[in-house]
Amino acid sequence: LTVVGFGGGDYMSVDIEMTPLGAYTVLGRPLADLAGACVALEDALGPGGRELADRLREERDWDARFDVLERFLIGRVAVGPVPTPAVAWADRRLREAGGNVRVAELAAELGCSRRYLTSRFSAEVGLGPKAVARQVRFAGVRERLAHAPKRLAEIAAAAGYYDQAHLNRDFRELAGVTPTEFVARLIPGGGVVGDGL
């Protein structure tokens, strides 16, 4: 729950974090439809989104709101699309491997073409498997930097980067800062100053 000042009054929101494939099931549509977009709740969820917002506003306490939200999500999961088994397996494999598996290798292990896997993966996850692998590697590097910021070369190797320069290039593209600048912003005990990464 976040409460912030907004237009002279209080504004309350609920932040729901889902895996890409969980979002695919709840939203009932290919995530590629929403890639790079900022949409209203009813545009993402259909007419049920507006009804959900109205029902949440009507409730007087947070326990009741969360009960409404839980029932809504369970109902959406029950009728939403099920991810293609190959996509679910490839997504899990990418994450378990820390992003260090090639798309051709995933396709070979699944017994399908790279083209089929990339097409289905992009539609359901919202990004292709190569882009997801890159983000997974980046997340791993970010986590390692927070715990052992002095070992950039070792971190690069452990994350599957060819060298530290490759890590630096990816980090700048994905975070907007170099790994060294990121480390300088670390807060003792956890967190990052100005964290939007």
Side-chain angles (χ1 to χ4, degrees), residues 138 165 167-179 181:
F138 171 75
L167 164 67
N168 288 344
R169 187 170 45 254
D170 253 17
F171 210 93
R172 269 193 309 275
E173 285 180 28
L174 294 170
V177 297
T178 66
E181 290 167 333

Side-chain angles (χ1 to χ4, degrees), residues 144-152 155 183 186:
R144 288 180 183 104
L145 279 174
H147 290 83
K150 305 269 188 223
R151 301 184 172 158
L152 282 176
I155 290 170
V183 169
L186 290 173

